[in-house]
Amino acid sequence: MGYLKRLILGFYGDDFTGSTDAMEALDQYGLKTILFLKIPNEKMMERFQDVDCVGVAGTARAKNRNGMEKELVPVYDFFQKIKPYFVHYKVCSTFDSSPDVGSIGFAGDLARNYFNKGSFPLLVAAPMLGRYTAFGNHFAAFQDKVYRLDRHPVMSRHPVTPMDEADLAVHLQKQTEQRIDKVSVLDLEEQNVSEIIEKHAEEDNIVLFDALNDVHMEKVSQVLWEMKGTDTQFLLGSSGIEYALGDAIKRNQAGSRTEKDIVSSKIEKIFSVSGSVSEVTKQQLENAEEAGFHLEQIPYELFTDEEKAEGFLEKIVKKIELKKKVIIYTAKGPDDPIIEKTKQHLLEEGISKEDRGIYIGRKLGEWTKKVLDQIEIKRLIISGGDTSGFVTSNLDIFGLEVLDSIAPGAPLCLAYSERPKFDGLEIALKSGQLGGPQFFEKVYQSGS
């Protein structure tokens, strides 16, 4: 199995919205990129012989170590076989993870079995997305302010992996036995590319790079590109990696695409599913309602009552035909009382805390497919990183390509499927933190 040319990059995203975020960053640099929703077979590979980069979207961020290993081993094996210049384990730019759930360190340890030569660069900063790292401490923008990660209004309160440590090296060291070195902002400003590589490239460890601005990102970009060689170079980090590599590829004129050959279409109806409980998504939902979207909150009892769920979905199908713009959602923000009611209900029904997120995600995926099977619709929005993974995996879609950059990290994509109904579906996937205040309406308006 392989491509006619050597790929520049193969990446795995530990959630689906993070995967589309990475794909969008590459697309902005003119790199033709296909994101696969499962490891591609020979037939899928042959369909996209002209691409520069490929990604595989996953759900490792929501899994324990056993689940991660089961998911990642085939992915790493696939990338080892196709031998791109770079392989990137893509994580959220807020680094949400723990030793037991979505362990980034464990993903890096597994990678040593496949890409074991030299250091693994780690870049989480993405200044263009409001993510910054200084002396190893990470900061993220929220509503026009920049917060240290452990004081971030959203990430410090994440329901599964709350970030209580801003020093990324300290946080990551709890997840891996590999040594973690740092390249600080001062190192980037005072040392040249060769000096940085000579000091850090050869040892088998993880090297965390700071970045506060475009100048720092350009230096990191130069370092990563100089590390390109015969052996595949493994990378850890956010879509800052894609922005850094994209910049290097542009400087070196290594991409193949000259112009975009797909565009979004004009639509009348749109269906949206939101499983995100972030404050950002709450504001987006309220803005969508003001823009004419019809919102329906999902009663928590539906998650364990199939008969009530069927009745709810029948109502939603009718609402889509009548209202044209419909969103079903689990909660409005982290303080919505339904969150605690849902947790208690699922616990009483025998769903453990550890399985709760996966259980809800799978239900949302099943319900989305049931709705789409009953209507003719061209465009779909999925809100929530973990939700996107579980929903999209139910839709017989095997690949995505960027159609329109709606907002940084949350593009509208064209879906590829072996099922005619879903081949050509336009789908926007967004994490809880991204998308911009008018996201839902902007997705609806694309192509108009």
Side-chain angles (χ1 to χ4, degrees), residues 231-251:
D231 294 325
T232 296
Q233 174 65 56
F234 186 78
L235 309 168
L236 287 161
S238 71
S239 59
I241 292 283
E242 277 68 35
Y243 284 102
L245 287 179
D247 187 46
I249 291 163
K250 183 178 179 180
R251 285 196 312 271

Side-chain angles (χ1 to χ4, degrees), residues 20-222:
T20 56
D21 173 23
M23 174 175 61
E24 181 196 31
L26 295 167
D27 180 79
Q28 289 180 14
Y29 284 94
L31 298 168
K32 187 170 178 62
T33 304
I34 299 297
L35 175 65
F36 291 105
L37 306 190
K38 58 183 177 181
I39 298 172
N41 57 31
E42 192 79 37
K43 183 179 179 182
M44 295 175 191
M45 296 278 281
E46 290 174 354
R47 183 171 176 176
F48 303 104
Q49 289 284 344
D50 59 337
V51 301
D52 299 299
C53 312
V54 300
V56 177
T59 56
R61 194 177 82 170
K63 294 182 175 179
N64 61 26
R65 290 190 173 215
N66 288 336
M68 289 181 69
E69 184 169 9
K70 184 177 180 181
E71 180 165 324
L72 290 178
V73 165
V75 173
Y76 286 161
D77 184 62
F78 165 69
F79 284 138
Q80 186 185 52
K81 287 177 180 176
I82 66 171
K83 294 181 173 62
Y85 286 107
F86 297 94
V87 166
H88 175 207
Y89 183 83
K90 197 274 176 190
V91 304
C92 181
S93 60
T94 45
F95 215 63
D96 38 324
S97 57
S98 77
D100 302 315
V101 178
S103 174
I104 298 166
F106 181 65
D109 293 344
L110 279 178
R112 283 288 171 198
N113 298 322
Y114 298 85
F115 318 102
N116 58 8
K117 184 178 180 182
S119 64
F120 289 171
L122 167 64
L123 176 68
V124 189
M128 63 293 297
L129 299 179
R131 307 294 189 255
Y132 313 95
T133 310
F135 300 103
N137 284 272
H138 200 53
F139 300 80
F142 178 72
Q143 294 184 348
D144 299 324
K145 293 184 179 180
V146 176
Y147 297 86
R148 201 175 71 189
L149 199 56
D150 56 346
R151 296 178 181 175
H152 192 277
V154 177
M155 293 318 303
S156 64
R157 302 170 61 191
H158 191 282
V160 180
T161 51
M163 295 302 293
D164 56 5
E165 176 57 69
D167 189 319
L168 297 179
V170 171
H171 183 75
L172 186 61
Q173 197 66 76
K174 299 173 184 176
Q175 305 175 20
T176 179
E177 294 183 0
Q178 296 184 62
R179 192 178 80 252
I180 302 169
D181 289 341
K182 297 180 181 180
V183 176
S184 73
V185 287
L186 295 182
D187 295 330
L188 292 172
E189 292 172 1
E190 295 171 358
Q191 299 175 13
N192 61 39
V193 172
S194 298
E195 289 172 326
I196 294 172
I197 291 176
E198 183 177 354
K199 184 176 180 180
H200 296 284
E202 295 302 321
E203 295 188 41
D204 293 343
N205 54 17
I206 296 171
V207 182
L208 170 62
F209 284 82
D210 281 359
L212 290 174
N213 52 42
D214 291 344
V215 174
H216 296 146
M217 287 294 290
E218 183 176 353
K219 179 64 72 70
V220 177
S221 169
Q222 292 169 350

